[in-house]
Amino acid sequence: MEVAANCSLRVKRPLLDPRFEGYKLSLEPLPCYQLELDAAVAEVKLRDDQYTLEHMHAFGMYNYLHCDSWYQDSVYYIDNLGRIMNLTVMLDTALGKPREVFRLPTDLTACDNRLCASIHFTSSTWVTLSDGTGRLYVIGTGERGNSASEKWEIMFNEELGDPFIISHSISLLKAEEHSIAILILRIEKEELDMKGSGFYVSLEWVTISKKNKDNKKYEITKRDILRGKSVPNYAAIEPNGNGLMIVSYKSFKFVQVDQDLEENMNEDMSEKIQEPLYYWQQTEDDLTVTVRLPENSVKEDVHVQFLPDHINIMLRDCQLLEGKLYSSIDHESSTWIIKENNSLEIFLIKKNEGLTWPELVVGDKQGELIRDSAQCAAIAERLMHLTSEELNPNPDKEKPPCNAQELEECDIFFEESSSLCRFDGNTLKTTHVVNLGSNQYLFSVVVDPKEMPCFCLRHDVDALLWQPHSSKQDDMWEHIATFNALGYVQASKRDKKFFACAPNYSYAALCECLRRVFIYRQPTPMSTVLYNRKEGRHVGQVAKQQVASLETNDPILGFQATNERLFVLTTKNLFLIKVNTEN
């Protein structure tokens, strides 16, 4: 059985700035342009039965504004008339009205349990679209940047079951066979889950193909499903279609499409309640192992082999336990007996007296260690000097203990450890795992549309941007940019809703639920002389922070950043904030 490789993210030290002094608030005005929409955005509010945190993450915080990364400064949204509306900006001072590029053929309001309609720009000529009712559209658009050749035409249209949103999609061309691979996300009810929220998250990897040029019809050729207990922060298919990467709080695993859910749950439950194969306990001198045997077992059925650092237990022709012991034993003095209650008792004499064994057989998880009260009391006594009932009992020592009261709220990260996993598209097994620890996920951004989306993580106080490279097996994630102190700064924004950055890393931005947008620029050279009085040195660069306040009381529903502009979508308006000039 292949085991997933445990990897780590390699930080590029030259991209860090240990002398960064913080952001300086700039009062320079930001040009802001406002467009009134012909029809309101097709916002779908959470229903009463969508009450979990996962529903809020997936649907309640959904970004209704979509950026076409294949064409600069082109954004899309879907209004409540079922129209996909596009705004492409050439000149800020001559903005046109958003134009309709496609209209959904079904009436969305007729479906009671619909989700928000979602769209993903698969390539420069393909788009995938969900209407929120469970129907998937694959649309050929022509060259979207060229008004003469742009024509949105449905190439595939099929009902896929329960409503879903699209997380990611790619276009593949292999040996004249064109395929579209799509990741769709659902949150589904789990009737047999008595302890948790009663819901699980389903990620379905759907592949739609056209076999040859003569056949014009696209068909579903593959469907694989992953299940997990949390909405993934990041999920993307590799550009070659050979794998999938997921950043999530709780792990995902592939399940059979035709597998009965109840059967699967019963298997999981039986695994959880399965009794240990053996129980073991230890003293300073020896170990006692107890193995439950079938009824009417006799001495002739059992064979136990002792070696100095190895044990092998056989019952008739079946192997019960075999492996390398944690430490050496006196194999000649070790014995075993069968007791009246159909249990096999094995006595192992330690070679190294006084050594505490954390496990019996190296890597074996089938046993359970039983500790007596005297052992627990002895361990507690040995650790007594490390603990105290007082908070910070002796702060005058050279190395005072940590005082949790000195931590600020934004330093506390409540989630347990998240992980970054890579799944193989053929074997459906996990091949690489990165334990992210407290490296909180912040946002994702498309830097190069031909590559996978980048993801941004908090590392200490900074925010680091990572570009996945599926072709580099040894160094799969590259550190490409750093936003100094942004990890710390964003944690203090308690009302933040969306987070983004420019594809050229020139600035990062976040918006609150209402009105306010914060922009954090990379350090730039000063045009005037500035000195740091504390250190008595010349300051060559300054990082600016700017704040824009939108003239609306409507909630912000969408937020996208390009190299030059920020686009902010509310229920009835689309705002453009000019952040950078072309040069």
Side-chain angles (χ1 to χ4, degrees), residues 187-226:
I187 297 180
E188 299 185 286
K189 190 76 177 168
E190 190 169 34
E191 302 295 343
L192 298 172
D193 183 13
M194 300 300 179
K195 293 182 180 178
S197 65
F199 293 90
Y200 68 89
V201 178
S202 167
L203 261 183
E204 187 171 352
W205 184 349
V206 182
T207 305
I208 297 162
S209 303
K210 183 174 73 169
K211 294 295 182 185
N212 52 57
K213 290 182 179 178
D214 299 330
N215 182 13
K216 291 186 177 181
K217 190 177 180 184
Y218 282 82
E219 297 175 345
I220 294 178
T221 55
K222 187 180 178 186
R223 290 179 79 167
D224 295 307
I225 296 177
L226 296 102

Side-chain angles (χ1 to χ4, degrees), residues 325-339:
L325 295 166
Y326 176 77
S327 185
S328 300
I329 59 169
D330 183 352
H331 64 288
E332 293 180 350
S333 303
S334 300
T335 59
W336 61 272
I337 61 168
I338 294 180
K339 303 195 79 175

Side-chain angles (χ1 to χ4, degrees), residues 12-287:
K12 291 183 180 177
R13 296 292 166 192
L15 294 180
L16 302 181
D17 182 6
R19 304 190 72 179
F20 182 73
E21 296 181 341
Y23 292 96
K24 311 299 180 190
L25 180 63
S26 170
L27 299 179
E28 294 174 19
L30 288 166
C32 185
Y33 306 92
Q34 179 177 350
L35 287 173
E36 191 172 344
L37 308 183
D38 293 336
V41 177
E43 181 187 5
V44 179
K45 298 188 183 296
L46 293 180
R47 304 188 303 272
D48 290 343
D49 60 343
Q50 295 175 321
Y51 53 82
T52 69
L53 186 61
E54 307 312 321
H55 286 102
M56 175 57 73
H57 279 167
F59 313 131
M61 300 287 283
Y62 186 74
N63 194 338
Y64 286 86
L65 189 63
H66 309 276
C67 188
D68 187 351
S69 55
W70 300 88
Y71 299 97
Q72 182 75 0
D73 292 300
S74 183
V75 293
Y76 294 76
Y77 66 91
I78 301 170
D79 66 19
N80 54 17
L81 300 178
R83 302 180 301 171
I84 298 178
M85 307 296 287
N86 164 243
L87 177 70
T88 302
V89 180
M90 298 296 180
L91 190 65
D92 297 279
T93 54
L95 293 174
K97 283 278 188 182
R99 64 188 180 97
E100 178 185 338
V101 294
F102 184 78
R103 190 183 290 252
L104 287 165
T106 53
D107 180 15
L108 302 184
T109 55
C111 181
D112 294 332
N113 66 334
R114 71 186 176 104
L115 301 175
C116 38
S118 56
I119 186 170
H120 190 266
F121 298 93
T122 311
S123 74
S124 60
T125 57
W126 289 91
V127 163
T128 49
L129 173 66
S130 160
D131 62 4
T133 67
R135 184 168 289 275
L136 175 69
Y137 299 88
V138 176
I139 300 171
T141 63
E143 293 290 338
R144 290 191 294 277
N146 184 348
S147 57
S149 62
E150 181 175 1
K151 183 184 177 184
W152 290 50
E153 184 180 356
I154 297 174
M155 307 302 289
F156 175 86
N157 170 17
E158 193 166 312
E159 191 79 33
L160 295 185
D162 292 336
F164 58 86
I165 59 172
I166 297 174
S167 296
H168 190 242
S169 62
I170 60 165
S171 175
L172 294 165
L173 187 61
K174 293 182 180 177
E176 294 193 358
E177 180 182 335
H178 181 242
S179 307
I180 303 279
I182 308 141
L183 267 184
I184 62 177
L185 183 144
R186 296 183 179 95
I187 297 180
E188 299 185 286
K189 190 76 177 168
E190 190 169 34
E191 302 295 343
L192 298 172
D193 183 13
M194 300 300 179
K195 293 182 180 178
S197 65
F199 293 90
Y200 68 89
V201 178
S202 167
L203 261 183
E204 187 171 352
W205 184 349
V206 182
T207 305
I208 297 162
S209 303
K210 183 174 73 169
K211 294 295 182 185
N212 52 57
K213 290 182 179 178
D214 299 330
N215 182 13
K216 291 186 177 181
K217 190 177 180 184
Y218 282 82
E219 297 175 345
I220 294 178
T221 55
K222 187 180 178 186
R223 290 179 79 167
D224 295 307
I225 296 177
L226 296 102
R227 282 200 185 129
K229 280 291 190 178
S230 67
V231 171
N233 295 314
Y234 172 97
I237 304 169
E238 294 172 358
N240 55 16
N242 292 337
L244 170 70
M245 293 186 194
I246 295 176
V247 176
S248 63
Y249 164 47
K250 293 182 179 175
S251 61
F252 277 76
K253 67 175 182 178
F254 275 102
V255 296
Q256 298 290 335
V257 175
D258 55 353
Q259 187 176 20
D260 185 65
L261 176 60
E262 188 172 339
E263 186 182 46
N264 194 33
M265 282 295 298
N266 288 338
E267 284 179 12
D268 289 346
M269 289 175 69
S270 65
E271 283 177 14
K272 289 176 186 174
I273 62 174
Q274 191 176 15
E275 269 196 45
L277 176 65
Y278 59 89
Y279 296 90
W280 64 289
Q281 53 192 119
Q282 61 181 318
T283 65
E284 291 193 346
D285 307 318
D286 57 39
L287 304 104

Side-chain angles (χ1 to χ4, degrees), residues 536-572:
R537 62 180 178 85
H538 177 252
V539 177
Q541 292 187 320
V542 166
K544 294 179 181 178
Q545 172 193 346
Q546 290 174 285
V547 182
S549 186
L550 307 178
E551 295 182 2
T552 178
N553 291 318
D554 293 331
I556 294 176
L557 300 180
F559 190 67
Q560 294 291 347
T562 65
N563 292 336
E564 295 181 39
R565 300 171 181 87
L566 273 172
F567 296 85
V568 186
L569 181 70
T570 65
T571 312
K572 301 169 188 171

